[in-house]
Amino acid sequence: MLTLSILLFPILAALLVLAVGGKQAKQIAFLGALVELGLSGYAFFNFVPDATSQFSFDYPWIFAGSIRFSAGIDGVSLLLVVLTGLLTPLIILSAFRHTYERPAVFYSLILFMQAALMGVFTARDAFLFYLYFEAALIPIYFLAASWGGENRIAVTFKFFLYTIFGSLFMLVALVYLYFKTATPAGLHSSAIVDFYNLNLSSTEQTWIFWAFFVAFAIKMPVFPFHTWQPDTYVESPTPATMLLAGIMLKMGVYGVIRLLLPIVPEGVNLWGTTAIVLSVIGIVYGAIIAIRQRDIKRLIAYSSFSHVGLMAAGVFSQTSYGIQGALVQMLAHGINVVGMFFVADIITSRTNTRLLDQMGGITRYTPKLTVYFMILLLGTVALPLTNGFVGEFLLLAGVFEHNNILGAVAGLTIIFGAVYMLRLFQKTMFGKTTDFTTGFNDVSGSESWVFIPLCIMVFWIGLVPNSFLKLTEPAVANLLQFIK
């Protein structure tokens, strides 16, 4: 029943926020998110490292089609459940420093978003997965469209079209797979594990591969399906940007691991290298654009695009290193990118500018912000003993095992990442102060409470990676049996 509680509690908390409303909305939302964090933490510390689905439930849902409301947590989904539980209260707490119109609606949408994300990461029925996959789009659309920047309507409409368009391909593939199954009673099954056992032809696997790939590549995003991402990240309010970059893009990577690889292994063998090439192009392209950016928020957006390219490449390598690296890196990247966007939000709100050329000298006023910023930056550039190093090392090992040349090009992410991140730190924190940065105030108590858990996680994952890797290894090994 733990998984059911994890799915239902954010919805109940969101409804309570809407019912109470007013100035108390954010406090109730924060407390609700803390309870959800407690549930996620319980799952983490009581998880038995094996390949089974734990804390599961399974109820009839659509009787006529034998479709079930079934969910559970295994080694593939555990870290993402923990990530969603950890980041949501921090994202809500980071929003306390701003005043939003209709706060009850704003904070309830964040909680509804959390519920949908938890559903994606725990669903064991393909159509339940699709339902949550689409449901996650609704709260983030309204958050961006209602509280975003000047161009929010056009940008969010483009984002909505992209994701709906891609998801339709996935739906067609899921319906086709559903009708290919047959239970002993002559009924069809939508259980994801039953899709793994289908005997599909090479032609079927090819078109199903591309149907899934387009849907997940848009969500991650992977080059050339990324054009919605930078504008959406920039125009959205910072909490929505954190949800998008910190958690939502992981739905795409997770979908590849959960559905695409084990269902169409021959399709992956035929087209996986093409997917890796597109991912590696995204790594280099995103990094080069990030290096040339003058806008702090857009720079972090392109850096996120570059990093997710490495995750995608590692997953499509079909190696244990690559898949485990992706799972750990999704956790690490979510922590780092939320922290970096919070740093950007603090700087832009205090200086009233996003342009790096108008910043400088902030470090002389902000010893605490400087330390937090540097820790998160070092994690982002994958310095050894930080969280980013573990995932990137495994991902690069997986890509190298698949193809040496692609691995070498993907390895450029380490150099490029150091260039654009250190440039960001230099432009904002060092040099002479400007009219925008003179008298810059250091972080407050509530702001520190957002940074402290993130910085702890940077070192926990970096110093004791086996506390996370041991939880994912059996499930990944089991998954690889369907792939190879």
Side-chain angles (χ1 to χ4, degrees):
M1 296 299 289
L2 177 63
T3 303
L4 184 60
S5 299
I6 287 174
L7 294 181
L8 294 181
F9 187 80
I11 297 175
L12 297 176
L15 294 174
L16 180 61
V17 169
L18 287 172
V20 175
K23 296 181 179 179
Q24 294 178 311
K26 60 184 180 182
Q27 285 87 358
I28 296 172
F30 180 63
L31 289 175
L34 284 180
V35 173
E36 184 77 351
L37 173 59
L39 295 172
S40 304
Y42 182 87
F44 178 79
F45 289 109
N46 289 274
F47 186 83
V48 178
D50 61 28
T52 63
S53 179
Q54 301 172 35
F55 317 113
S56 304
F57 67 86
D58 183 26
Y59 301 115
W61 182 24
I62 302 176
F63 290 92
S66 300
I67 298 172
R68 304 185 69 82
F69 189 67
S70 176
I73 299 172
D74 65 3
V76 175
S77 58
L78 177 64
L79 297 188
L80 293 168
V81 169
V82 171
L83 177 69
T84 307
L86 172 65
L87 291 186
T88 304
L90 298 180
I91 291 170
I92 292 173
L93 183 59
S94 73
F96 279 19
R97 51 195 302 276
H98 295 290
T99 301
Y100 294 101
E101 296 181 359
R102 306 187 306 280
V105 178
F106 181 86
Y107 289 105
S108 66
L109 285 172
I110 294 177
L111 292 172
F112 282 128
M113 178 76 177
Q114 182 185 38
L117 291 166
M118 289 295 194
V120 170
F121 299 139
T122 59
R124 293 294 171 265
D125 182 278
F127 291 116
L128 184 63
F129 174 90
Y130 178 80
L131 172 69
Y132 279 119
F133 195 86
E134 291 300 281
L137 175 63
I138 298 171
I140 201 68
Y141 173 81
F142 284 108
L143 283 169
S146 301
W147 290 274
E150 293 181 2
N151 298 321
R152 63 187 183 276
I153 301 301
V155 168
T156 52
F157 183 68
K158 179 180 180 180
F159 165 60
F160 186 82
L161 281 182
Y162 258 79
T163 51
I164 287 293
F165 176 76
S167 297
L168 288 176
F169 286 100
M170 178 171 64
L171 179 60
V172 171
L174 292 178
V175 171
Y176 182 84
L177 292 168
Y178 169 76
F179 283 109
K180 292 288 288 186
T181 63
T183 65
L187 300 174
H188 299 291
S189 170
S190 57
I192 293 175
V193 69
D194 288 338
F195 287 0
Y196 294 174
N197 298 314
L198 290 174
N199 186 19
L200 301 171
S201 68
S202 177
T203 301
E204 289 173 314
Q205 293 204 32
T206 293
W207 79 259
I208 292 172
F209 171 90
W210 284 107
F212 280 141
F213 179 75
V214 169
F216 298 140
I218 289 172
K219 194 72 74 174
M220 285 188 267
V222 169
F223 180 91
F225 304 98
H226 68 284
T227 57
W228 64 266
Q229 186 235 32
D231 289 337
T232 304
Y233 281 19
V234 170
E235 291 297 326
S236 298
T238 298
T241 304
M242 291 175 175
L243 286 168
L244 280 165
I247 312 174
M248 189 172 178
L249 71 79
K250 278 69 179 181
M251 295 196 309
V253 182
Y254 175 80
V256 172
I257 298 172
R258 178 66 70 192
L259 295 179
L260 193 152
L261 294 185
I263 292 176
V264 288
E266 187 177 342
V268 177
N269 288 330
L270 290 171
W271 298 102
T273 301
T274 303
I276 294 176
V277 169
L278 293 176
S279 302
V280 170
I281 291 173
I283 292 171
V284 177
Y285 173 78
I288 292 173
I289 299 297
I291 291 171
R292 298 182 59 85
Q293 282 303 310
R294 297 175 62 243
D295 183 305
I296 184 172
K297 201 172 181 183
R298 194 173 289 271
L299 186 156
I300 299 171
Y302 275 107
S303 76
S304 177
F305 168 55
S306 180
H307 279 95
V308 80
L310 181 58
M311 293 182 226
V315 169
F316 281 107
S317 72
Q318 304 174 71
T319 62
S320 177
Y321 286 145
I323 296 173
Q324 275 204 269
L327 292 173
V328 174
Q329 189 64 6
M330 282 192 280
L331 176 63
H333 175 267
I335 290 163
N336 294 334
V337 78
V338 164
M340 294 301 293
F341 274 118
F342 190 46
V343 168
D345 184 54
I346 289 173
I347 292 175
T348 55
S349 65
R350 283 165 167 70
T351 60
N352 295 314
T353 181
R354 295 204 312 255
L355 299 180
L356 296 176
D357 295 341
Q358 297 176 343
M359 300 177 189
I362 294 175
T363 190
R364 69 181 59 186
Y365 305 110
T366 58
K368 290 188 287 186
L369 178 62
T370 302
V371 171
Y372 299 143
F373 192 176
M374 179 54 70
I375 290 172
L376 292 163
L377 183 147
L378 294 177
T380 303
V381 302
L383 186 79
L385 304 182
T386 65
N387 60 350
F389 175 77
V390 180
E392 286 207 7
F393 177 83
L394 292 173
L395 287 166
L396 289 172
V399 180
F400 264 106
E401 186 176 327
H402 180 82
N403 185 291
N404 290 339
I405 296 175
L406 289 174
V409 178
L412 294 174
T413 183
I414 299 173
I415 300 171
F416 289 144
V419 171
Y420 59 68
M421 280 297 161
L422 292 175
R423 174 177 173 268
L424 170 63
F425 194 85
Q426 178 191 24
K427 288 281 190 179
T428 54
M429 308 305 288
F430 295 151
K432 297 180 180 179
T433 57
T434 68
D435 293 339
F436 294 91
T437 59
T438 300
F440 194 102
N441 294 322
D442 205 356
V443 293
S444 64
S446 63
E447 291 168 341
S448 286
W449 281 113
V450 176
F451 283 120
I452 289 171
L454 297 175
C455 292
I456 290 173
M457 292 299 296
V458 168
F459 290 115
W460 182 6
I461 299 171
L463 294 171
V464 197
N466 196 48
S467 58
F468 300 90
L469 292 172
K470 70 179 181 181
L471 301 176
T472 65
E473 186 175 3
V476 171
N478 181 64
L479 198 69
L480 286 171
Q481 295 178 6
F482 296 97
I483 298 172
K484 295 187 176 181

